[in-house]
Amino acid sequence: MSRGRILSGIKPTGNLHLGNYLGAIRNWVAMQKDYECFFCVVDLHAITADRIEPAELTRTTREVAAGYIASGIDPARATLFVQSHVPAHAELAWIFNCVARLGWLNRMTQFKDKAGKNRDTASAGLYVYPNLMAADILIYKATHVPVGEDQKQHIELARDIAQKFNHDYGVDLFVLPEPVIQGAATRVMSLRDGAKKMSKSDGGSDYAVIYMTDSADDIAAKLRKATTDPHPLPESVAGLEGRAEAANLLNIYAALTDRTLAEVVAETAGWGFGQFKTRLTETAVGVLGPINAEMARLMADPAELDAILAKGAAKARETAAPLLAEVYRTVGFLPAR
Ligand code: TYM
């Protein structure tokens, strides 16, 4: 019995990283047997920031899909597709541009972070991005959206949009989605700076980010250089207060081994960072190594990948069409003949 329907996605900007894996994909894999799943590669979202080299966008779009499958998303169970293959997302997003209020978008912290001081030179797409994300979710009547911490505000906005549309038109068309933010690594931090989120667009040191395509040597080198502090690992979770880097590495270790922070703190109490980093490296390589190899295999012959995505897009289009038609009818657009 399905507990509901999931929709989630990742932007194909740059390489997938450990934050994407632990904050999102690993949880999707765990949830796929209990939910009806739709996972997309959100390429429309990828062009809202800096211009990406077109060939690179094509490559990273496939690579994100390869990352889903290599991590254990089963295309026979879940619907995997590319956002731009399903025009209903963009069509519904336009309607939502007319539902969401400017005041709501002005509160979005991701826009503030990404546009920074250069608001006037940010794209209009970056500003209305949350409306497109709301369309991604609401077009499938998704009940649950598994994401990392940083996406919570966007899902709340999707709920506000759903509610306002339903209310303004006196209908019950849109389902209000619940964010699912679970596991020990809902916010993986940079390996160089425990106060900064691990991010593809970090721009800083490459040592800050573990990519899913990193080799065992890369992972070992990055963890060896990861910022720490001079103290042994604490005896209790409370002992991590003020130790952001230690907390981050322990959370990563917990998420990679499907344990709680308290459990791994109990295991590692009193260890030095040398010992802990060795253990963490073995664990990370053990989890990411096979994923990395499978991604490389899928990327070497994209025909298999493209066929999976084509099948997924057909299913997604079929699922999305009736609701879009109903929205158009509700709004009063003259039916096309
Ligand atoms: P994106 O592409 O930035 O990130 C994809 C997923 O990875 C999670 N994530 C993290 N989790 C923990 N620690 C981190 N350092 C970290 N960095 C990223 C994100 O929370 C996300 O779950 N707007 C979205 C993409 C999107 C979407 C959607 C998501 C578009 N439409 C519909 C869900 C539903 C984004 O930019 O994610």
Side-chain angles (χ1 to χ4, degrees):
M1 239 316 256
S2 169
R3 290 198 209 152
R5 185 181 277 180
I6 284 177
L7 175 292
S8 202
I10 295 181
K11 283 192 305 278
T13 44
N15 297 324
L16 288 169
H17 59 71
L18 191 63
N20 300 136
Y21 177 66
L22 295 178
I25 306 174
R26 193 172 169 92
N27 293 323
W28 304 353
V29 174
M31 294 173 85
Q32 68 179 336
K33 61 180 186 313
D34 296 324
Y35 293 82
E36 184 190 359
C37 297
F38 289 80
F39 297 121
C40 56
V41 183
V42 291
D43 55 350
L44 300 177
H45 281 97
I47 59 166
T48 53
D50 296 335
R51 175 184 176 277
I52 306 176
E53 205 44 49
E56 177 62 6
L57 179 58
T58 308
R59 189 191 69 76
T60 50
T61 299
R62 286 199 180 104
E63 193 169 83
V64 170
Y68 293 176
I69 297 167
S71 300
I73 298 293
D74 176 2
R77 227 183 241 277
T79 303
L80 294 190
F81 64 101
V82 175
Q83 186 186 31
S84 66
H85 295 175
V86 186
H89 292 234
E91 291 167 318
L92 184 61
W94 175 256
I95 307 276
F96 288 171
N97 285 343
C98 306
V99 174
R101 306 290 94 182
L102 289 186
W104 300 0
L105 295 176
N106 287 338
R107 284 197 290 275
M108 295 295 112
T109 55
Q110 286 231 329
F111 177 76
K112 291 184 209 169
D113 290 349
K114 290 196 172 159
K117 292 191 195 71
N118 306 317
R119 283 179 73 113
D120 286 356
T121 56
S123 76
L126 185 65
Y127 189 66
V128 294
Y129 173 125
N131 297 340
L132 175 59
M133 176 161 163
D136 299 338
I137 299 167
L138 299 180
I139 193 74
Y140 298 103
K141 299 191 178 206
T143 54
H144 295 84
V145 187
V147 286
E149 240 276 314
D150 59 347
Q151 296 302 317
K152 187 161 186 245
Q153 195 185 32
H154 289 156
I155 297 166
E156 282 160 3
L157 184 89
R159 291 172 65 91
D160 290 344
I161 290 174
Q163 216 153 15
K164 182 164 168 56
F165 185 97
N166 285 348
H167 176 266
D168 287 357
Y169 289 95
V171 291
D172 200 14
L173 279 187
F174 292 116
V175 169
L176 269 53
E178 295 287 341
V180 180
I181 298 168
Q182 65 185 15
T186 56
R187 190 175 176 81
V188 177
M189 308 309 278
S190 154
L191 298 183
R192 305 298 281 177
D193 178 354
K196 245 172 84 180
K197 191 179 69 173
M198 184 178 284
S199 145
K200 290 172 275 208
S201 47
D202 191 0
S205 154
D206 247 7
Y207 280 96
V209 183
I210 291 183
Y211 294 107
M212 288 175 70
T213 46
D214 279 346
S215 67
D217 286 348
D218 291 337
I219 294 173
K222 289 177 182 185
L223 286 174
R224 210 176 314 113
K225 281 190 191 272
T227 308
T228 54
D229 58 46
H231 308 292
L233 291 175
E235 307 284 334
S236 69
V237 172
L240 286 169
E241 189 63 37
R243 300 181 65 187
E245 281 83 11
N248 186 40
L249 294 177
L250 282 163
N251 274 319
I252 291 172
Y253 183 46
L256 283 170
T257 54
D258 294 319
R259 286 182 294 172
T260 63
L261 181 60
E263 284 169 331
V264 297
V265 165
E267 181 199 344
T268 59
W271 290 15
F273 275 102
Q275 182 184 0
F276 175 54
K277 283 181 168 182
T278 305
R279 170 61 62 84
L280 182 57
T281 301
E282 283 163 11
T283 307
V285 169
V287 172
L288 296 179
I291 295 178
N292 182 325
E294 177 63 4
M295 282 175 77
R297 188 191 71 77
L298 288 162
M299 290 300 284
D301 175 15
E304 180 186 345
L305 208 50
D306 290 357
I308 291 170
L309 293 173
K311 196 159 162 246
K315 167 89 184 294
R317 280 194 296 266
E318 198 180 289
T319 312
L323 183 57
L324 186 71
E326 198 149 350
V327 171
Y328 275 27
R329 235 187 340 263
T330 301
V331 174
F333 290 159
L334 177 70
R337 283 174 173 259

